[in-house]
Amino acid sequence: QDNRISIWSVGDAGNVGLSGEYQGEPQLLCDIRHNGDVMDMQFLDQERIVVASSTGTVTIFRHHQNNQTLSANQRWEKAHYHVDQDTSCGGAACTGVICNNPEIVTVGEDGRINLFRADQKDAVRTIDNADSSTLHAVTFLHTTEILTVNSIGQLKIWDLRQQRNEPSQIFSLTGDRVPLHCVDRHPNQQHIVATGGQDGMLSIWDIRQGTMPVSLLNAHEAEMWEVHFHPSNPDHLFTCSEDGSLWHWDTSTDISEKPSFLHQGGRSTTYFSHSTINQSVVSAWLSNDPTKDRMEITNLIPNQTLSVNSLDILGPCLVYGTDAEAIYVNRQLFA
C-alpha cells in the first residue's frame, strides 16, 4: 500500500575483509513516497532516477547528495492510460523505462510507447497503438532505435526517426505465444539480443537474420523476470526468476583456459577487452546449441524459494531483490 523509492549506500570495495566478503551494513541514505507500485526504474544520470508506476505516471526523482534527500524533479502524469488521460481510473501500468540521457522511453500495459526528454514537459513522441497487447519491457538498440517485448511472444524494433507508427521489424517465438517479460542486447555485438518470458526459457536472437530466435535454452521453472548481459564482459549473462533462482551463464570459450579475473594475491580486477578474446566467444551465443561444451551455468542462490524480481550488475558486483523483502549484494562474481 505504501511504496517508497530508497537510495542505499553499500559502501565501497575498499571495505572488503581478508576473505573477500564485504564488511559493514548497507546504509539507507534517504527515501521518498511513491504513488503506486514501482514497476521499473533507472538512473538517468548521477543524481536523477526515472521511475515507472503502476498508476501510469512516470516520475524523475532527484537525489540531493549534499543533504541526502530525494525530491520529485519532474512528473508525467498518466503517461500510460487505458481509456483517456482524464478519467480517474484510466491509468495503465507503465511496465518499463529505459534512459539514454536526456531521452527516456517508456512502455506500458496500454501498448503505448512514449519518448520523453528530461527537460521537456510534453512527450517528444508518442506511438499510441504501438501494440495491441501489453508491452513488458524496452531497451535501446542504438541511439535512435529501441527494442520492445510483448505479452504475445513478439520482439519488435522501432526506429524513432521514422514518423510511421509501425515497427521496422517484428520477430516472434514460434508456436505458443508465450509472453516475453524482459530483453537485453549484447553491449558490443548489437545484433545479439536475449529475452526471457513466462515459460522461463532464455531466447537468443540475431536480429540480422530470420524472425525467430537462434537458440532457445531451457532455464527457469517459472517466469523469467530479468535478463542482463554483463556490460563489460558480455560472455557472462544473468537471469532471475519467479522460481527463486538466479543463474549465471558463462560462455567463455574453454572452461579450463578461462582467464582468471583476479590477479593472484592482489585485489585489482582485470577485464578483457573483447578484441583480445578469440572471436568464437562472441559467436558462442549464436551457435545452435551454446550449452554444448561451451557454457557453464551456475545458480547463484541454490536454496532460495521466493521470487527473485530484479537484478543489476556492474564490474564484479551483482545486486538483486527478492520477495523476501530483501536486497542482496554479491561482490565476488568472478572470484
Side-chain angles (χ1 to χ4, degrees), residues 136-137 149-150 178-184 193-205 215-229 237-249 285 297 307-311:
H136 281 143
V149 291
N150 69 11
V178 179
L180 291 172
H181 290 305
C182 51
V183 57
D184 196 26
V193 173
T195 63
Q198 191 165 307
D199 55 3
M201 298 274 277
L202 173 64
S203 308
I204 305 290
W205 313 70
S215 53
L216 289 170
L217 302 169
N218 274 315
H220 303 279
E221 286 165 24
E223 290 91 346
M224 185 190 294
W225 292 131
E226 196 106 59
V227 57
H228 278 299
F229 285 100
L237 177 99
F238 298 82
T239 58
C240 65
S241 166
E242 180 71 28
D243 68 9
S245 59
L246 194 162
W247 285 18
H248 174 185
W249 306 70
W285 290 115
I297 301 167
S307 174
V308 185
N309 301 320
S310 191
L311 72 92

Side-chain angles (χ1 to χ4, degrees), residues 184-186 189-194 204-205 229 282 285-286:
D184 196 26
R185 71 153 171 77
H186 192 291
Q189 305 283 311
Q190 295 178 342
H191 53 276
I192 302 178
V193 173
I204 305 290
W205 313 70
F229 285 100
V282 168
W285 290 115
L286 297 182

Side-chain angles (χ1 to χ4, degrees), residues 230-236 238 259-263 267-277 313-318 330-335:
H230 191 291
S232 53
N233 217 31
D235 36 340
H236 297 266
F238 298 82
S260 159
F261 287 96
L262 296 168
H263 290 307
R267 282 216 199 99
S268 60
T269 309
T270 40
Y271 287 106
F272 292 82
S273 75
H274 233 70
S275 54
T276 61
I277 296 183
I313 177 172
L314 193 64
C317 196
L318 169 77
N330 174 343
R331 295 175 164 274
Q332 291 181 278
L333 225 43
F334 299 117

Side-chain angles (χ1 to χ4, degrees), residues 34-266:
H34 178 268
N35 221 346
D37 293 345
V38 175
M39 305 297 285
D40 198 8
M41 59 180 171
Q42 243 212 350
F43 277 98
L44 177 67
D45 53 28
Q46 289 290 322
E47 49 188 34
R48 288 180 297 175
I49 304 136
V50 182
V51 182
S53 170
S54 58
T55 64
T57 295
V58 177
T59 311
I60 302 181
F61 290 97
R62 187 179 285 276
H63 175 212
H64 306 275
Q65 295 174 4
N66 51 358
N67 60 358
Q68 290 305 342
T69 55
L70 274 165
S71 65
N73 180 239
Q74 193 167 352
R75 185 174 276 135
W76 292 282
E77 296 282 351
K78 293 215 181 110
H80 295 272
Y81 52 91
H82 279 307
V83 195
D84 57 68
Q85 263 170 312
D86 305 324
T87 48
S88 58
C89 59
C94 176
T95 50
V97 47
I98 192 81
C99 304
N100 184 16
N101 192 7
E103 297 191 321
I104 299 161
V105 174
T106 70
V107 295
E109 271 178 12
D110 53 357
R112 196 173 263 106
I113 298 173
N114 290 308
L115 172 62
F116 294 111
R117 263 221 176 75
D119 44 8
Q120 293 181 19
K121 195 163 64 68
D122 297 317
V124 178
R125 172 97 190 269
T126 295
I127 304 178
D128 270 331
N129 300 310
D131 215 297
S132 54
S133 63
T134 295
L135 288 167
H136 281 143
V138 59
T139 194
F140 275 99
L141 184 59
H142 303 288
T143 47
T144 56
E145 284 184 303
I146 56 167
L147 286 165
T148 59
V149 291
N150 69 11
S151 59
I152 55 170
Q154 293 173 319
L155 169 69
K156 297 183 181 180
I157 299 179
W158 304 83
D159 186 339
L160 297 173
R161 290 165 304 191
Q162 300 286 336
Q163 284 314 302
R164 302 182 307 132
N165 289 343
E166 267 90 50
S168 50
Q169 274 178 284
I170 300 179
F171 303 83
S172 54
L173 295 169
T174 46
D176 307 331
R177 296 183 157 232
V178 179
L180 291 172
H181 290 305
C182 51
V183 57
D184 196 26
R185 71 153 171 77
H186 192 291
N188 314 340
Q189 305 283 311
Q190 295 178 342
H191 53 276
I192 302 178
V193 173
T195 63
Q198 191 165 307
D199 55 3
M201 298 274 277
L202 173 64
S203 308
I204 305 290
W205 313 70
D206 181 347
I207 59 172
R208 298 170 307 183
Q209 53 184 31
T211 56
M212 296 179 318
V214 184
S215 53
L216 289 170
L217 302 169
N218 274 315
H220 303 279
E221 286 165 24
E223 290 91 346
M224 185 190 294
W225 292 131
E226 196 106 59
V227 57
H228 278 299
F229 285 100
H230 191 291
S232 53
N233 217 31
D235 36 340
H236 297 266
L237 177 99
F238 298 82
T239 58
C240 65
S241 166
E242 180 71 28
D243 68 9
S245 59
L246 194 162
W247 285 18
H248 174 185
W249 306 70
D250 175 3
T251 61
S252 310
T253 26
D254 183 29
I255 306 298
S256 59
E257 289 173 20
K258 205 160 37 168
S260 159
F261 287 96
L262 296 168
H263 290 307
Q264 297 311 312

